[in-house]
């Protein structure tokens, strides 16, 4: 699959992430990750597994970050296409639409049963 095709696939997965996060369905967001994913959020140690994703995102929601806006800057395939890297940037918005934070991220996606799942997710703030 050409990088433009990969970018479209990953962009669709990110659209799912944003829709689910914005709706508060954090369990469904965590299911976009592999069972043994590594989640590296700002100010936290690396955590492992879907529950850690759900817990961290719940903390972000509780801190007032109502919406996640993710923008893909670059996508490329490695290991014959079953593994994909993604680089992008994000904004975290409050309920009133004001910007609560912004930063950048890098993610590694792995194909599991024919579907790309987040295996490693690392993001940090520009602040």
């Amino acid at each position: 699959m050409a990088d433009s095709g990969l970018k479209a696939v990953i962009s669709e997965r990110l659209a799912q992430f944003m829709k689910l996060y914005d709706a508060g369905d954090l369990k469904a967001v965590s299911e976009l990750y592999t069972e043994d994913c590594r989640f590296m959020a700002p100010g936290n140690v690396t955590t492992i597994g879907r529950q850690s994703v759900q817990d961290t995102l719940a903390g972000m929601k509780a801190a007032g970050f109502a919406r996640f806006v993710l923008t893909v800057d670059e996508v490329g395939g490695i290991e014959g296409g079953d593994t994909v890297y993604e680089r992008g940037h994000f904004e975290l918005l409050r309920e009133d639409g004001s910007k609560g934070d912004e930063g950048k991220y890098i993610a590694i996606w792995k194909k599991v049963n024919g579907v790309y799942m987040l295996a490693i997710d690392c993001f940090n703030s520009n602040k």
Side-chain angles (χ1 to χ4, degrees):
M1 182 181 304
D3 285 355
S4 63
L6 285 174
K7 187 172 184 177
V9 169
I10 297 305
S11 293
E12 175 57 33
R13 298 294 283 165
L14 289 180
Q16 292 174 341
F17 180 107
M18 290 183 283
K19 180 179 179 182
L20 294 167
Y21 179 88
D22 295 355
D25 192 348
L26 305 179
K27 180 171 181 6
V29 172
S30 73
E31 292 169 357
L32 298 173
Y33 289 77
T34 61
E35 290 183 25
D36 63 346
C37 65
R38 297 331 192 241
F39 195 67
M40 296 176 266
N44 292 304
V45 299
T46 300
T47 58
I48 300 172
R50 290 177 174 161
Q51 188 62 52
S52 69
V53 172
Q54 190 173 343
D55 293 345
T56 302
L57 294 178
M60 292 170 64
K61 277 281 197 186
F65 297 121
R67 293 189 55 231
F68 230 124
V69 179
L70 299 161
T71 303
V72 178
D73 295 325
E74 177 183 5
V75 172
I78 48 181
E79 295 182 12
D82 285 344
T83 303
V84 173
Y85 72 86
E86 173 203 2
R87 182 183 58 79
H89 60 279
F90 69 88
E91 291 181 339
L92 287 168
L93 304 178
R94 301 195 182 285
E95 196 66 47
D96 65 4
S98 64
K99 189 184 307 184
D101 198 2
E102 65 183 349
K104 62 269 184 200
Y105 68 88
I106 190 155
I108 304 296
W109 297 77
K110 291 195 176 199
K111 199 176 270 190
V112 178
N113 297 322
V115 177
Y116 283 108
M117 309 285 288
L118 279 158
I120 301 172
D121 189 0
C122 179
F123 61 106
N124 55 52
S125 175
N126 290 343
K127 296 182 178 182

